Each structure stands twice: as structure tokens, then as C-alpha cells.
Amino acid sequence: MAGYVGILVSDPWLQNQFTQVELRSLKTHFTSMRRESGKLTVEDLASRMSRLKVVGENLSEQERADFIADLYPNLKDEVDFEFFLKVYLKLHAHASARTGSPAKNSSAFLKAATTTLLHTISESEKASYVAHINNYLAQDGFLNKYLPINPSSNDLFEIVKDGVLLCKLINVAVPGTIDERAINTKRLLNPWERNENHTLCLNSAKAIGCTVVNIGTQDFIEGRRHLVLGLISQIIKIQLLADLNLKKTPQLVELVDDSKDVEELMSLPPEKILLRWMNFQLKKSPYKKIVSNFSTDVKDAEAYAHLLNVLAPEHSNPSTLTVKDPFQRAKLVLEHADRMGCKRYLTAKDIVDGSPNLNLAFVAHIFQHRNGLSTQTKQISFLETLPDDAQVSREERVFRFWINSLGNSTYIDNVFEDLRNGWILLETLDKVSPGIVNWKIANRPPIKLPFKKVENCNQVVKIGKQLKFSLVNIAGNDIVQGNKKLILAYLWQLMRYNILQLLKNLRFHSHGKEITDVDILRWANTKVSDSGSQSRMDSFKDKSLSDGIFFLELLGAVQPRSVNWSLVTKGVTDEQKKMNATYIISIARKLGCSIFLLPEDITEVSFLVDANFFLFFHSMAQKLDIVIYPPEK
């Protein structure tokens, strides 16, 4: 089993010809080609492959057409993705032979400029992350055989190959994300079980906000160190920054003066809040500079020296502020942190080298251990005047993680703030429907002039209408103004459109018919019925779904070995329903579903189930080659 690659192509030979990044990019282009007329024939390939590098640049359309016709005389035959890849490889070899270039250069097949890099890793970061893992997972019953990991060795990259450690680390960062009943924890895992763990890990990482666009299960199996460390870094960062919001730490309201500033604070990403907190504390010291980053601004360790003196003056050392050498000062700062009881995430060398990841981890841990904030009721009362809409918060979370999972140029931390200039929305639209955005009239950030933001958002609305979205009384300025209701309405339709477009890729299984809600419901009920169950669902909002039994029976029908029924409850009480819901989400992710549900979305049968149910069906259909339409008699 080759992880995500296996989802895209079933031919082992083809899997070995491409990297995962290449396959995903080629899949996007193939989908775009086929979308132009609803299908793609052998005859169409010559003209539509002009957009591919080497093939498009070094062969004319007539040369491509002649070459393809010699190989495949049946020009009217419809092309699937694997056939497209085979034609591409042969054309690439033909073009390369003519130009004298290598047969297929990894990551260089698209006209867009790409670079093949030699990836290196930071030994300091590896040692820091290993120490974190040794500390937080030391008591785990399964992992205690492997821990503690030696930070000077490469044992970490061997241990992650079965997927268990990464799943456990995700649960440390965001407790309850993965139902550990779904993790395969035998001492010796077969390739299928190991692949399931990695698939569960990647889909769960996306669900907590990690970006895993260029990472696949095969990368963990092969122990690709820079990708493993990159994901671990994101998971640990999410854990360390978890308290940097007003819900978890209402005392943060002390950083602002009035309710308007509180709203601004709520919209900031955790890193920015951490910087604001650090500067707030530094104002209490003689230090007069503003710290704007976790790299160059802290390299001399002076800011750290003053910060720790404010937070823990009882552990201060007068020499820290008088020593001239930054390296020696950094060592004294770390000694101060040790006396405070703060675990180290970096060395003195990491401070003077300005390692941004490790410095951020260090400051975040100091905040967790001792933030120096008061609990003044008067200030915290500001929070009582702000709207507390849990449903809006959950919807924002789903859409934020979905947008980040697409791999746009910028990671967003708040849908209502980060989409206001229109640029990320345009990028998302281009991912969902390649070529639909007119980039010539788009304004790239940073955008200072308000009317430029409106121009971007006007194009967003125009494209939405082009895609048949219901956008009554929605204008570009509504997005610029951060109108939550209208932004959520737009994103719901965009996400739904994306999923339906993905399902349209299955049309060659559906006898040319478009797939609709009714067809999906019929497929689900038929699948469960054929497995011998009497359960059924009447709609995506059917309240009987709250006990989770139908979802579990459907998962079991799709993949019989996926559900351990001895772990399933009757779904009568709220607690039983929640246990089933967490199990459903983990099993679905384990089988390859990219969904962003919380257990409450299932137990309450919210509209988010509707959106994520579509994601579930697409993932299953793509992975297991599901035929939604029965053959017509």
C-alpha cells in the first residue's frame, strides 16, 4: 500500500514513476482538462497537454498529435487518469530525447517554476522535539518500550514508521482529536495497518490545523526526516500555543484597554498574541525596544533577560544584564528559566542564532508556566459584552481548516479577518476551479488601499454567481467589512461546490449522470441495507443520526474490518453518543476521509455534518472505487 499515492493510482509501476507532489499536481491538471468539456478523449490530449512543461514546450501540438495517434489509434476513447499518466510519460521521454535532457526530471514537469531542494534538518530542533516527546509521552503504555528516544540518534525517524507515536502526539496537542480505539497498536503491524495509522495521523493533523499538502503516508514509511520534523513541529506548536486565546486565558484581556481592542485581540493569530504579551510584560522593565519577531529581535537575549526578571524576579541574576557577550547572556537566561521550572526548548546557541521555531516554543512555554497576568474582574467583564456564538465558532473552525488544507500561499488563523482582502478567497476559488480567477485584475497583498480589497472581493462575489451560488444581497464590501453571516454563507456554498466537483470526477462510474444529494443518500441506504441492517437515513439532517449507529454501519459496509463493534455503544445517553461520534470520526479518517467534524456536530446533527458527509462520501468513493449508480436495466 502506497498511502495517498495509492488513492490516486492503483498501478504500482505508475506509483514508482512519480513523487506524491507530482501526482497531485498532475491530477489537478487532468481534472481541469476534463472539466472543459465534461470528458477527455485520446484526441483531446495533444492540444490540452500544451500546458505541461517539457511536453508542451518542446513538442508542437501537431507533433504531439502524430505521436499519440501512432501509439493509440482509437482517438475517441475516453481517457482516465492512469491512461493520461502513461501518455504523459511517453511524450515526456520523446520530448526529452529530442532535447537531450533527462527522461523525467522530478518536480519539473509543469510550466510553473519549481525547484528541487536538498532538504536538511536542524539537529537542535530534532533534539528539542525529541525532549518534548520524551516528556509528554513518557507514561504511554504502548510507547514506553521505545522511550526515551536518544536525541543524538535517528531513532525518532524509525519509531514514527508505524504511525502510533504521531497519533499519540496529536492527542497531546489537542486532547480527544483521535479516538485511540481506532489506532492499530499491535507490536508488529502489517503494511495495511501501518498505512491506516499514517492516514489517520495525516487527516487528524489537518483537522487540528496542520498543513500537510505535500506530505503522504509513504513519506513516514520511508522516514523522510524533514517532512517528519516539519509535521512534529506544527503539532508541538499547536500544543504550546493552545492557551493563547481569550477562551482559555481570559486574563489576556489585560493586554487591551476597551472592548473594541478585545475584538481585535480575538482576531489575532496565537503568535501575534504571544508577541503582544511579551511586549506588555517588557513595558514593566527598563527595556525600551519592541520585539516584533522570535528571531533577530531576541538574538542578543536582552529581551529575555528583562522578561524573566519581570515574571520571576526571585530567580534573577544581576550578571545577566551586565554581561557583554550575547552567548553568555543567553546561558544565564536559560539558567534563570531552569530555576523557574521551565523546560528548555533551545540552547544558548539557538538563541544567538535566532532559531524562530525554538525561540517561539521557549516563549510559549514560559507563558504556559508563568504568564504574569492578573485576574481583575473589571477587565474580564469586557468579555461579557462580546457575542459568544458557539455555532459560528465551530463553523469558522471547519472552514478555516478546510481552506488551510488546500495549501494556499498564506495560512489563515481567522476566517473573518484573514479573508477580508479577498486574496485567499481568490486562491481558494482557483484551487476549487482552476482557471476561473482573472489574476490580471486581482490585487496581491499587502493591500493598503481599501478599494483594492473591494475589487478582489467583488471578483469573489462575481465568480460565486458564475458558479450559481445563492448570493442575494451579498456584495464584495460585505466580505471586506467582515460580515460573519455572509462570509459563512459564501464559504458553505464554496465548500459544497468543491465536494460536488470532486464527486463529478466519478462520472465515469455513474453512466454520465451528475451526482446529487438524492443519489448519495440512496447509495448510503443501499450500502447499509445490503450489509443486512435495517438502519436508514432520510436526509443529512435526520435526527436519528445522532446516535452514530448509521454512520458506523455505513463505515462497516464500506470496509468490513474497520469497525470493532465491541467498542460501539447503544448511543442512548449523551455520553454514549459522544463516544460513538469520536469513534466514527477517527475510523473515517483512518480510511482516508478528510473531514473536519467535532463529535458535537454528529450528536447535534448540525449542518456541518452535511458538508463533512459529502467529504466522507468523496473520500470513500475515490479510495474504494465506489459505484454510486447501479447499471440501468
Side-chain angles (χ1 to χ4, degrees):
M1 195 71 183
Y4 190 82
V5 177
I7 296 174
L8 291 176
V9 295
S10 58
D11 187 333
W13 180 81
L14 279 173
Q15 293 175 14
N16 292 328
Q17 304 307 307
F18 299 93
T19 67
Q20 296 182 44
V21 176
E22 288 175 334
L23 274 176
R24 293 171 202 170
S25 297
L26 284 169
K27 180 68 172 180
T28 299
H29 282 262
F30 171 75
T31 302
S32 176
M33 292 174 193
R34 194 168 63 181
R35 187 180 295 128
E36 291 173 13
S37 61
K39 67 176 183 177
L40 188 67
T41 65
V42 175
E43 189 176 30
D44 298 327
L45 290 176
S47 61
R48 297 188 188 176
M49 290 181 107
S50 62
R51 66 193 71 177
L52 298 177
K53 192 173 181 180
V54 179
V55 168
E57 291 177 345
N58 299 316
L59 295 174
S60 67
E61 183 174 334
Q62 188 59 50
E63 288 172 327
R64 293 193 297 273
D66 292 343
F67 184 81
I68 291 171
D70 287 341
L71 291 173
Y72 309 104
N74 298 323
L75 298 179
K76 299 300 181 183
D77 284 355
E78 191 167 346
V79 174
D80 63 16
F81 183 50
E82 293 195 6
F83 184 88
F84 163 78
L85 291 177
K86 292 173 183 176
V87 174
Y88 164 73
L89 284 171
K90 290 179 180 180
L91 277 172
H92 197 295
H94 178 58
S96 298
R98 293 184 52 178
T99 60
S101 61
K104 189 182 81 65
N105 183 22
S106 177
S107 301
F109 53 90
L110 300 179
K111 286 187 176 181
T114 57
T115 306
T116 302
L117 299 173
L118 177 62
H119 295 286
T120 59
I121 65 169
S122 163
E123 289 296 327
S124 288
E125 287 196 26
K126 183 187 74 172
S128 178
Y129 302 153
V130 164
H132 181 97
I133 290 168
N134 287 340
N135 179 60
Y136 283 95
L137 292 173
Q139 305 304 316
D140 186 87
F142 179 83
L143 294 173
N144 59 16
K145 178 180 178 181
Y146 307 102
L147 302 181
I149 302 169
N150 181 354
S152 63
S153 72
N154 286 321
D155 291 350
L156 172 66
F157 306 112
E158 290 299 316
I159 295 172
V160 300
K161 288 183 178 181
D162 66 9
V164 177
L165 184 146
L166 292 174
C167 287
K168 301 271 191 176
L169 191 61
I170 286 172
N171 267 359
V172 169
V174 184
T177 299
I178 296 176
D179 189 323
E180 296 201 0
R181 296 174 294 177
I183 304 174
N184 299 316
T185 53
K186 294 190 308 186
R187 287 299 176 186
L188 291 175
L189 299 178
N190 62 42
W192 174 262
E193 292 167 329
R194 183 177 58 185
N195 185 76
E196 282 186 332
N197 281 349
H198 290 307
T199 304
L200 173 59
C201 165
L202 287 173
N203 283 316
S204 299
K206 281 195 286 187
I208 66 170
C210 295
T211 299
V212 296
V213 174
N214 293 323
I215 307 176
T217 60
Q218 192 67 19
D219 297 316
F220 297 121
I221 293 168
E222 295 174 5
R224 295 184 180 174
R225 301 190 300 167
H226 68 287
L227 295 177
V228 170
L229 279 188
L231 180 58
I232 290 175
S233 172
Q234 291 186 73
I235 295 169
I236 291 176
K237 179 180 175 183
I238 287 169
Q239 177 188 343
L240 292 175
L241 298 177
D243 292 338
L244 280 151
N245 59 73
L246 288 170
K247 183 177 181 180
K248 292 282 188 70
T249 312
Q251 295 86 358
L252 282 166
V253 75
E254 189 178 348
L255 306 185
V256 298
D257 296 322
D258 55 42
S259 57
K260 184 177 180 181
D261 291 335
V262 171
E263 291 190 62
E264 179 191 352
L265 185 68
M266 292 175 70
S267 70
L268 291 177
E271 298 97 311
K272 296 292 185 183
I273 296 177
L274 189 62
L275 282 170
R276 181 173 287 199
W277 166 80
M278 186 173 179
N279 286 307
F280 174 81
Q281 298 296 355
L282 286 173
K283 287 180 181 178
K284 302 174 184 177
S285 75
Y287 193 75
K288 299 304 178 187
K289 298 177 184 176
I290 299 296
V291 178
S292 60
N293 59 63
F294 293 108
S295 181
T296 55
D297 287 1
V298 295
K299 289 174 69 172
D300 60 10
E302 285 187 28
Y304 284 155
H306 287 282
L307 176 67
L308 297 187
N309 279 348
V310 169
L311 297 175
E314 70 276 17
H315 298 302
S316 63
N317 181 342
S319 300
T320 308
L321 293 174
T322 58
V323 69
K324 300 299 183 184
D325 179 27
F327 183 79
Q328 293 301 320
R329 186 183 304 115
K331 289 177 66 176
L332 293 172
V333 162
L334 293 179
E335 290 175 7
H336 190 161
D338 283 343
R339 290 192 293 273
M340 289 171 58
C342 289
K343 293 183 294 293
R344 294 190 183 188
Y345 278 90
L346 75 180
T347 64
K349 184 177 185 300
D350 296 323
I351 292 177
V352 297
D353 286 347
S355 173
N357 286 343
L358 297 182
N359 276 292
L360 184 147
F362 179 58
V363 178
H365 183 65
I366 291 172
F367 176 87
Q368 284 187 339
H369 187 74
R370 187 179 296 195
N371 60 41
L373 298 173
S374 69
T375 55
Q376 294 181 32
T377 307
K378 180 179 178 181
Q379 290 176 311
I380 296 177
S381 65
F382 276 137
L383 298 177
E384 298 173 1
T385 66
L386 299 174
D388 180 22
D389 192 332
Q391 182 65 22
V392 167
S393 176
R394 276 160 52 189
E395 291 174 22
E396 188 274 338
R397 174 188 178 278
V398 166
F399 294 131
R400 171 163 39 95
F401 289 167
W402 170 66
I403 290 171
N404 285 331
S405 76
L406 299 176
N408 291 318
S409 63
T410 303
Y411 186 90
I412 66 170
D413 292 284
N414 184 294
V415 160
F416 306 121
E417 292 298 321
D418 297 345
L419 300 187
R420 287 171 61 175
N421 64 18
W423 182 262
I424 296 297
L425 276 172
L426 290 173
E427 285 193 326
T428 302
L429 284 161
D430 197 54
K431 295 278 176 132
V432 169
S433 183
I436 201 167
V437 176
N438 183 353
W439 292 109
K440 293 181 180 179
I441 62 172
N443 303 295
R444 180 184 292 273
I447 306 172
K448 295 182 178 179
L449 299 175
F451 78 89
K452 293 289 185 181
K453 299 178 183 179
V454 175
E455 286 179 352
N456 280 353
C457 293
N458 282 341
Q459 185 178 180
V460 167
V461 174
K462 181 180 178 181
I463 293 172
K465 292 178 179 177
Q466 182 181 333
L467 297 176
K468 306 292 193 255
F469 293 177
S470 175
L471 299 174
V472 179
N473 297 325
I474 297 182
N477 196 51
D478 293 315
I479 299 174
V480 175
Q481 295 298 320
N483 186 308
K484 293 182 180 181
K485 182 178 179 180
L486 298 182
I487 289 173
L488 290 176
Y490 189 98
L491 289 176
W492 159 235
Q493 295 179 86
L494 179 57
M495 183 178 182
R496 183 180 173 85
Y497 175 84
N498 176 225
I499 298 161
L500 289 174
Q501 287 301 110
L502 294 171
L503 283 169
K504 285 179 183 178
N505 291 338
L506 305 174
R507 286 174 60 186
F508 58 92
H509 290 312
S510 62
H511 308 281
K513 295 174 65 178
E514 297 291 337
I515 294 171
T516 65
D517 298 21
V518 173
D519 300 311
I520 295 172
L521 283 169
R522 187 179 70 192
W523 170 80
N525 284 320
T526 300
K527 200 76 180 172
V528 171
S529 177
D530 288 348
S531 72
S533 172
Q534 300 299 314
S535 299
R536 63 174 291 105
M537 62 182 291
D538 295 324
S539 73
F540 293 123
K541 298 178 176 64
D542 188 337
K543 293 298 182 183
S544 68
L545 297 173
S546 66
D547 62 11
I549 301 299
F550 182 86
F551 289 101
L552 287 164
E553 290 181 336
L554 180 58
L555 286 164
V558 169
Q559 179 54 264
R561 63 181 291 275
S562 64
V563 179
N564 182 346
W565 286 99
S566 67
L567 303 176
V568 177
T569 75
K570 293 181 179 180
V572 177
T573 66
D574 289 345
E575 183 61 28
Q576 288 178 341
K577 289 179 179 180
K578 185 173 182 181
M579 288 178 67
N580 283 352
T582 58
Y583 192 48
I584 289 165
I585 292 168
S586 291
I587 292 296
R589 288 174 181 155
K590 180 178 176 178
L591 294 183
C593 299
S594 184
I595 56 177
F596 305 95
L597 286 173
L598 293 174
E600 307 91 90
D601 298 319
I602 292 178
T603 59
E604 297 172 14
V605 196
S606 75
F607 96 97
L608 296 175
V609 174
D610 190 347
N612 283 278
F613 208 42
F614 272 102
L615 280 172
F616 164 73
F617 281 120
H618 168 256
S619 299
M620 287 295 95
Q622 185 184 50
K623 184 177 179 64
L624 299 174
D625 206 29
I626 290 169
V627 179
I628 290 184
Y629 290 91
E632 295 180 1
K633 296 181 180 179

